[in-house]
mmCIF file of all heavy atoms in Angstrom:
data_model
loop_
_atom_site.group_PDB
_atom_site.id
_atom_site.type_symbol
_atom_site.label_atom_id
_atom_site.label_comp_id
_atom_site.label_asym_id
_atom_site.label_seq_id
_atom_site.Cartn_x
_atom_site.Cartn_y
_atom_site.Cartn_z
ATOM 1 N N VAL A 1 -15.447 -92.224 6.542
ATOM 2 C CA VAL A 1 -16.606 -92.046 5.665
ATOM 3 C C VAL A 1 -17.061 -90.587 5.671
ATOM 4 O O VAL A 1 -17.567 -90.088 4.658
ATOM 5 C CB VAL A 1 -17.747 -92.988 6.089
ATOM 6 C CG1 VAL A 1 -19.032 -92.690 5.325
ATOM 7 C CG2 VAL A 1 -17.336 -94.442 5.880
ATOM 8 N N LEU A 2 -16.893 -89.888 6.794
ATOM 9 C CA LEU A 2 -17.303 -88.487 6.862
ATOM 10 C C LEU A 2 -16.557 -87.656 5.825
ATOM 11 O O LEU A 2 -17.155 -86.847 5.095
ATOM 12 C CB LEU A 2 -17.055 -87.944 8.272
ATOM 13 C CG LEU A 2 -17.870 -88.599 9.390
ATOM 14 C CD1 LEU A 2 -17.387 -88.121 10.753
ATOM 15 C CD2 LEU A 2 -19.356 -88.302 9.204
ATOM 16 N N ASN A 3 -15.248 -87.831 5.736
ATOM 17 C CA ASN A 3 -14.472 -87.095 4.734
ATOM 18 C C ASN A 3 -14.725 -87.630 3.330
ATOM 19 O O ASN A 3 -14.676 -86.868 2.356
ATOM 20 C CB ASN A 3 -12.987 -87.160 5.071
ATOM 21 C CG ASN A 3 -12.637 -86.286 6.262
ATOM 22 O OD1 ASN A 3 -13.228 -85.226 6.464
ATOM 23 N ND2 ASN A 3 -11.680 -86.738 7.069
ATOM 24 N N LEU A 4 -14.999 -88.928 3.214
ATOM 25 C CA LEU A 4 -15.326 -89.489 1.904
ATOM 26 C C LEU A 4 -16.565 -88.821 1.323
ATOM 27 O O LEU A 4 -16.618 -88.494 0.129
ATOM 28 C CB LEU A 4 -15.553 -90.994 2.022
ATOM 29 C CG LEU A 4 -15.983 -91.663 0.715
ATOM 30 C CD1 LEU A 4 -14.771 -91.942 -0.157
ATOM 31 C CD2 LEU A 4 -16.768 -92.943 0.978
ATOM 32 N N LEU A 5 -17.586 -88.594 2.158
ATOM 33 C CA LEU A 5 -18.813 -87.964 1.674
ATOM 34 C C LEU A 5 -18.541 -86.565 1.143
ATOM 35 O O LEU A 5 -19.089 -86.158 0.115
ATOM 36 C CB LEU A 5 -19.843 -87.913 2.805
ATOM 37 C CG LEU A 5 -20.386 -89.255 3.285
ATOM 38 C CD1 LEU A 5 -21.295 -89.066 4.492
ATOM 39 C CD2 LEU A 5 -21.139 -89.989 2.168
ATOM 40 N N LEU A 6 -17.684 -85.818 1.831
ATOM 41 C CA LEU A 6 -17.349 -84.465 1.377
ATOM 42 C C LEU A 6 -16.572 -84.522 0.063
ATOM 43 O O LEU A 6 -16.808 -83.717 -0.846
ATOM 44 C CB LEU A 6 -16.537 -83.750 2.456
ATOM 45 C CG LEU A 6 -17.256 -83.562 3.807
ATOM 46 C CD1 LEU A 6 -16.283 -83.049 4.853
ATOM 47 C CD2 LEU A 6 -18.434 -82.624 3.669
ATOM 48 N N TRP A 7 -15.636 -85.465 -0.038
ATOM 49 C CA TRP A 7 -14.868 -85.629 -1.279
ATOM 50 C C TRP A 7 -15.788 -86.029 -2.428
ATOM 51 O O TRP A 7 -15.694 -85.495 -3.536
ATOM 52 C CB TRP A 7 -13.781 -86.683 -1.060
ATOM 53 C CG TRP A 7 -12.927 -86.950 -2.261
ATOM 54 C CD1 TRP A 7 -11.813 -86.261 -2.661
ATOM 55 C CD2 TRP A 7 -13.121 -87.990 -3.239
ATOM 56 N NE1 TRP A 7 -11.301 -86.809 -3.816
ATOM 57 C CE2 TRP A 7 -12.085 -87.870 -4.190
ATOM 58 C CE3 TRP A 7 -14.057 -89.004 -3.387
ATOM 59 C CZ2 TRP A 7 -11.970 -88.722 -5.282
ATOM 60 C CZ3 TRP A 7 -13.953 -89.860 -4.477
ATOM 61 C CH2 TRP A 7 -12.912 -89.716 -5.405
ATOM 62 N N ALA A 8 -16.685 -86.970 -2.176
ATOM 63 C CA ALA A 8 -17.594 -87.440 -3.222
ATOM 64 C C ALA A 8 -18.537 -86.337 -3.677
ATOM 65 O O ALA A 8 -18.966 -86.309 -4.837
ATOM 66 C CB ALA A 8 -18.396 -88.641 -2.714
ATOM 67 N N GLN A 9 -18.869 -85.418 -2.776
ATOM 68 C CA GLN A 9 -19.758 -84.306 -3.128
ATOM 69 C C GLN A 9 -19.059 -83.291 -4.020
ATOM 70 O O GLN A 9 -19.695 -82.418 -4.596
ATOM 71 C CB GLN A 9 -20.253 -83.615 -1.854
ATOM 72 C CG GLN A 9 -21.405 -82.654 -2.047
ATOM 73 C CD GLN A 9 -22.731 -83.359 -2.249
ATOM 74 O OE1 GLN A 9 -23.127 -84.198 -1.461
ATOM 75 N NE2 GLN A 9 -23.428 -83.017 -3.316
ATOM 76 N N GLY A 10 -17.745 -83.419 -4.149
ATOM 77 C CA GLY A 10 -17.003 -82.512 -5.017
ATOM 78 C C GLY A 10 -16.300 -81.393 -4.288
ATOM 79 O O GLY A 10 -15.818 -80.447 -4.912
ATOM 80 N N PHE A 11 -16.204 -81.462 -2.954
ATOM 81 C CA PHE A 11 -15.555 -80.409 -2.185
ATOM 82 C C PHE A 11 -14.053 -80.386 -2.488
ATOM 83 O O PHE A 11 -13.430 -81.423 -2.681
ATOM 84 C CB PHE A 11 -15.743 -80.642 -0.693
ATOM 85 C CG PHE A 11 -17.113 -80.289 -0.169
ATOM 86 C CD1 PHE A 11 -18.204 -80.207 -1.023
ATOM 87 C CD2 PHE A 11 -17.309 -80.052 1.182
ATOM 88 C CE1 PHE A 11 -19.465 -79.889 -0.539
ATOM 89 C CE2 PHE A 11 -18.561 -79.729 1.676
ATOM 90 C CZ PHE A 11 -19.648 -79.646 0.819
ATOM 91 N N SER A 12 -13.480 -79.202 -2.491
ATOM 92 C CA SER A 12 -12.025 -79.069 -2.565
ATOM 93 C C SER A 12 -11.416 -79.501 -1.235
ATOM 94 O O SER A 12 -12.116 -79.638 -0.222
ATOM 95 C CB SER A 12 -11.642 -77.621 -2.856
ATOM 96 O OG SER A 12 -11.989 -76.796 -1.751
ATOM 97 N N GLY A 13 -10.091 -79.690 -1.231
ATOM 98 C CA GLY A 13 -9.426 -80.041 0.013
ATOM 99 C C GLY A 13 -9.588 -78.963 1.064
ATOM 100 O O GLY A 13 -9.808 -79.256 2.248
ATOM 101 N N ARG A 14 -9.483 -77.721 0.641
ATOM 102 C CA ARG A 14 -9.634 -76.613 1.590
ATOM 103 C C ARG A 14 -11.034 -76.602 2.188
ATOM 104 O O ARG A 14 -11.210 -76.380 3.391
ATOM 105 C CB ARG A 14 -9.359 -75.280 0.881
ATOM 106 C CG ARG A 14 -9.635 -74.043 1.742
ATOM 107 C CD ARG A 14 -8.614 -73.882 2.847
ATOM 108 N NE ARG A 14 -9.006 -72.865 3.815
ATOM 109 C CZ ARG A 14 -8.154 -72.076 4.457
ATOM 110 N NH1 ARG A 14 -6.866 -72.180 4.223
ATOM 111 N NH2 ARG A 14 -8.567 -71.200 5.325
ATOM 112 N N ARG A 15 -12.035 -76.838 1.353
ATOM 113 C CA ARG A 15 -13.401 -76.802 1.865
ATOM 114 C C ARG A 15 -13.653 -77.954 2.829
ATOM 115 O O ARG A 15 -14.362 -77.796 3.830
ATOM 116 C CB ARG A 15 -14.384 -76.851 0.695
ATOM 117 C CG ARG A 15 -15.816 -76.565 1.107
ATOM 118 C CD ARG A 15 -16.735 -76.475 -0.087
ATOM 119 N NE ARG A 15 -18.116 -76.292 0.343
ATOM 120 C CZ ARG A 15 -19.161 -76.373 -0.460
ATOM 121 N NH1 ARG A 15 -18.983 -76.600 -1.756
ATOM 122 N NH2 ARG A 15 -20.396 -76.204 0.000
ATOM 123 N N ILE A 16 -13.086 -79.126 2.554
ATOM 124 C CA ILE A 16 -13.210 -80.241 3.494
ATOM 125 C C ILE A 16 -12.572 -79.872 4.832
ATOM 126 O O ILE A 16 -13.140 -80.108 5.901
ATOM 127 C CB ILE A 16 -12.555 -81.511 2.915
ATOM 128 C CG1 ILE A 16 -13.316 -81.986 1.669
ATOM 129 C CG2 ILE A 16 -12.496 -82.625 3.959
ATOM 130 C CD1 ILE A 16 -12.626 -83.099 0.904
ATOM 131 N N ALA A 17 -11.381 -79.276 4.773
ATOM 132 C CA ALA A 17 -10.694 -78.875 6.002
ATOM 133 C C ALA A 17 -11.488 -77.813 6.749
ATOM 134 O O ALA A 17 -11.577 -77.841 7.988
ATOM 135 C CB ALA A 17 -9.292 -78.371 5.671
ATOM 136 N N ASP A 18 -12.084 -76.877 6.016
ATOM 137 C CA ASP A 18 -12.852 -75.808 6.664
ATOM 138 C C ASP A 18 -14.073 -76.342 7.394
ATOM 139 O O ASP A 18 -14.485 -75.800 8.429
ATOM 140 C CB ASP A 18 -13.277 -74.764 5.634
ATOM 141 C CG ASP A 18 -12.166 -73.802 5.264
ATOM 142 O OD1 ASP A 18 -11.133 -73.803 5.967
ATOM 143 O OD2 ASP A 18 -12.320 -73.046 4.280
ATOM 144 N N VAL A 19 -14.670 -77.410 6.850
ATOM 145 C CA VAL A 19 -15.803 -78.032 7.541
ATOM 146 C C VAL A 19 -15.399 -78.430 8.955
ATOM 147 O O VAL A 19 -16.131 -78.195 9.921
ATOM 148 C CB VAL A 19 -16.293 -79.269 6.748
ATOM 149 C CG1 VAL A 19 -17.145 -80.175 7.629
ATOM 150 C CG2 VAL A 19 -17.084 -78.836 5.526
ATOM 151 N N TRP A 20 -14.211 -79.005 9.093
ATOM 152 C CA TRP A 20 -13.760 -79.458 10.409
ATOM 153 C C TRP A 20 -13.227 -78.303 11.249
ATOM 154 O O TRP A 20 -13.302 -78.353 12.483
ATOM 155 C CB TRP A 20 -12.702 -80.546 10.243
ATOM 156 C CG TRP A 20 -13.299 -81.841 9.814
ATOM 157 C CD1 TRP A 20 -13.380 -82.344 8.552
ATOM 158 C CD2 TRP A 20 -13.951 -82.798 10.665
ATOM 159 N NE1 TRP A 20 -14.034 -83.556 8.557
ATOM 160 C CE2 TRP A 20 -14.380 -83.860 9.842
ATOM 161 C CE3 TRP A 20 -14.192 -82.867 12.031
ATOM 162 C CZ2 TRP A 20 -15.059 -84.961 10.353
ATOM 163 C CZ3 TRP A 20 -14.852 -83.968 12.549
ATOM 164 C CH2 TRP A 20 -15.268 -85.007 11.708
ATOM 165 N N ARG A 21 -12.693 -77.283 10.616
ATOM 166 C CA ARG A 21 -12.262 -76.106 11.384
ATOM 167 C C ARG A 21 -13.445 -75.473 12.117
ATOM 168 O O ARG A 21 -13.289 -74.899 13.185
ATOM 169 C CB ARG A 21 -11.617 -75.075 10.458
ATOM 170 C CG ARG A 21 -10.235 -75.456 9.940
ATOM 171 C CD ARG A 21 -9.614 -74.328 9.127
ATOM 172 N NE ARG A 21 -8.250 -74.650 8.724
ATOM 173 C CZ ARG A 21 -7.904 -75.096 7.519
ATOM 174 N NH1 ARG A 21 -8.839 -75.262 6.582
ATOM 175 N NH2 ARG A 21 -6.648 -75.383 7.244
ATOM 176 N N ARG A 22 -14.631 -75.584 11.514
ATOM 177 C CA ARG A 22 -15.828 -74.964 12.102
ATOM 178 C C ARG A 22 -16.633 -75.938 12.949
ATOM 179 O O ARG A 22 -17.663 -75.554 13.517
ATOM 180 C CB ARG A 22 -16.722 -74.430 10.980
ATOM 181 C CG ARG A 22 -16.045 -73.413 10.081
ATOM 182 C CD ARG A 22 -16.868 -73.213 8.820
ATOM 183 N NE ARG A 22 -16.131 -72.454 7.816
ATOM 184 C CZ ARG A 22 -16.357 -72.519 6.515
ATOM 185 N NH1 ARG A 22 -17.281 -73.324 6.041
ATOM 186 N NH2 ARG A 22 -15.647 -71.791 5.677
ATOM 187 N N HIS A 23 -16.215 -77.201 12.994
ATOM 188 C CA HIS A 23 -17.011 -78.204 13.691
ATOM 189 C C HIS A 23 -17.105 -77.876 15.171
ATOM 190 O O HIS A 23 -16.124 -77.477 15.812
ATOM 191 C CB HIS A 23 -16.378 -79.588 13.510
ATOM 192 C CG HIS A 23 -17.190 -80.689 14.110
ATOM 193 N ND1 HIS A 23 -18.455 -80.989 13.679
ATOM 194 C CD2 HIS A 23 -16.921 -81.556 15.116
ATOM 195 C CE1 HIS A 23 -18.925 -81.998 14.391
ATOM 196 N NE2 HIS A 23 -18.014 -82.356 15.266
ATOM 197 N N ARG A 24 -18.283 -78.037 15.716
ATOM 198 C CA ARG A 24 -18.532 -77.701 17.118
ATOM 199 C C ARG A 24 -18.426 -78.948 17.988
ATOM 200 O O ARG A 24 -18.987 -79.994 17.651
ATOM 201 C CB ARG A 24 -19.919 -77.068 17.264
ATOM 202 C CG ARG A 24 -20.042 -75.759 16.494
ATOM 203 C CD ARG A 24 -21.465 -75.293 16.413
ATOM 204 N NE ARG A 24 -21.587 -74.093 15.600
ATOM 205 C CZ ARG A 24 -22.743 -73.579 15.200
ATOM 206 N NH1 ARG A 24 -23.875 -74.165 15.535
ATOM 207 N NH2 ARG A 24 -22.764 -72.491 14.461
ATOM 208 N N PRO A 25 -17.746 -78.851 19.104
ATOM 209 C CA PRO A 25 -17.612 -80.009 19.992
ATOM 210 C C PRO A 25 -18.971 -80.593 20.381
ATOM 211 O O PRO A 25 -19.929 -79.863 20.618
ATOM 212 C CB PRO A 25 -16.888 -79.426 21.218
ATOM 213 C CG PRO A 25 -16.155 -78.246 20.685
ATOM 214 C CD PRO A 25 -17.025 -77.674 19.612
ATOM 215 N N LEU A 26 -19.039 -81.875 20.393
ATOM 216 C CA LEU A 26 -20.227 -82.633 20.786
ATOM 217 C C LEU A 26 -21.396 -82.488 19.831
ATOM 218 O O LEU A 26 -22.483 -83.005 20.096
ATOM 219 C CB LEU A 26 -20.677 -82.246 22.210
ATOM 220 C CG LEU A 26 -19.645 -82.448 23.325
ATOM 221 C CD1 LEU A 26 -20.235 -82.052 24.657
ATOM 222 C CD2 LEU A 26 -19.154 -83.881 23.366
#
C-alpha cells in the first residue's frame, strides 16, 4: 500500500524509488 499511494499520487517510477533510497531506518 505504501508504494500504491505514491503511484496513485502520480509519482514516476524513479521518484517512487528515490523515496525509498532516502528512507531513514526506524
Side-chain angles (χ1 to χ4, degrees):
V1 172
L2 296 172
N3 287 326
L4 177 82
L5 293 175
L6 299 171
W7 180 85
Q9 193 76 53
F11 283 21
S12 67
R14 174 71 191 214
R15 191 174 176 190
I16 295 171
D18 281 348
V19 162
W20 286 97
R21 288 185 175 100
R22 302 166 191 155
H23 184 62
R24 298 168 184 170
L26 302 181

